[in-house]
Amino acid sequence: MSFLRLSKSRPDKHTNRMAWNESWEKDLDIYETFRYKFPSIPLLQPPNHSPKDRIGVEMGLMAFNQTFHNDLFLLQQDVCRRATTRLATDDFAEKWTALKPACREEYILEALYKTSTAGPDFEQFRQWCPDLKVDTLGREGASYLDLLMFLIQSNSEANGKVALVFFPHPMVDRIFNAIQDLEGQTYALKLRMNRSFFITMTLHQ
């Protein structure tokens, strides 16, 4: 997204993960500026697309979203099962908060790296995750656990229904709503799932 002004190049994440992450976090700081001046959201589809072209794009995206929805749902179910077991039997919460902040930050950095390299496009999903920062999730032990518990509790509240968990963020949600007004619900849903997928995968690592 051009309004996010993402860097066109970054340090090599395989050889210099800290510099690579710092590059991402510097880019994501732009979300703070949106609190004072909301960005202008550009049209993503050419305005001269014919109705037939738009219908074709919409149908293709709907099919993609359905597959992505199913994959994300299974991933969230798996993360919830594993996390619930560890929290109940392995004292994970106590062990996590007992770690030194530097150790937690190292774990978060590795999780972000693994998520970004798990698929060819996954790293770009991070552009919707300004709340996934190494110091934010690692410095205070509760921050990571709060995110994990939100997933678990939201999942359990679905009462067995096939419902995805979307992680709220006031500015990101406002941008998604603006994109939905311009491009429609189908495209906005894809972006919402991108964000949810990246966060869930990071919790999965």
Side-chain angles (χ1 to χ4, degrees):
M1 296 292 176
S2 59
F3 65 89
L4 292 178
R5 303 175 190 172
L6 297 177
S7 299
K8 294 182 179 179
S9 63
R10 301 188 191 282
D12 191 326
K13 57 180 169 287
H14 304 296
T15 60
N16 195 345
R17 292 176 198 176
M18 289 186 67
W20 162 76
N21 179 66
E22 288 172 359
S23 171
W24 260 109
E25 294 193 358
K26 183 178 179 180
D27 281 357
L28 293 174
D29 284 342
I30 196 172
Y31 278 92
E32 285 298 312
T33 70
F34 295 162
R35 295 169 56 190
Y36 309 102
K37 184 179 180 181
F38 192 71
S40 176
I41 309 295
L43 280 170
L44 305 176
Q45 296 189 63
N48 59 351
H49 263 185
S50 69
K52 183 178 180 180
D53 289 338
R54 286 183 175 275
I55 291 173
V57 170
E58 179 82 2
M59 291 181 65
L61 192 54
M62 288 177 67
F64 174 87
N65 279 356
Q66 185 59 56
T67 300
F68 195 13
H69 177 285
N70 295 340
D71 291 342
L72 178 53
F73 175 75
L74 292 175
L75 175 65
Q76 291 186 338
Q77 293 295 303
D78 184 53
V79 172
C80 288
R81 281 194 297 268
R82 291 176 57 189
T84 300
T85 299
R86 292 193 66 186
L87 288 166
T89 64
D90 193 35
D91 298 325
F92 175 74
E94 291 78 6
K95 291 178 180 178
W96 174 257
T97 53
L99 289 174
K100 294 181 178 179
C103 292
R104 289 195 296 263
E105 290 178 6
E106 184 177 346
Y107 177 92
I108 297 299
L109 177 59
E110 185 67 12
L112 291 170
Y113 167 77
K114 288 182 177 179
T115 298
S116 297
T117 56
D121 302 319
F122 291 175
E123 182 175 349
Q124 293 308 307
F125 295 174
R126 191 178 178 185
Q127 66 185 296
W128 306 116
C129 304
D131 40 351
L132 285 194
K133 292 187 175 182
V134 169
D135 62 341
T136 303
L137 295 178
R139 184 181 304 164
E140 299 293 336
S143 298
Y144 175 86
L145 294 174
D146 287 346
L147 203 59
L148 185 61
M149 289 307 300
F150 177 83
L151 174 61
I152 294 172
Q153 292 171 358
S154 299
N155 186 270
S156 64
E157 290 170 2
N159 295 321
K161 298 178 182 178
V162 183
L164 295 181
V165 176
F166 295 101
F167 300 85
H169 184 282
M171 190 51 63
V172 177
D173 290 339
R174 187 179 173 191
I175 289 173
F176 285 161
N177 290 337
I179 291 175
Q180 180 170 319
D181 290 341
L182 287 171
E183 302 290 339
Q185 184 176 359
T186 303
Y187 187 79
L189 175 60
K190 177 181 181 297
L191 300 184
R192 295 180 198 276
M193 289 195 293
N194 287 353
R195 169 176 161 79
S196 188
F197 186 88
F198 194 90
I199 295 176
T200 305
M201 277 288 289
T202 301
L203 295 172
H204 182 62
Q205 303 301 332

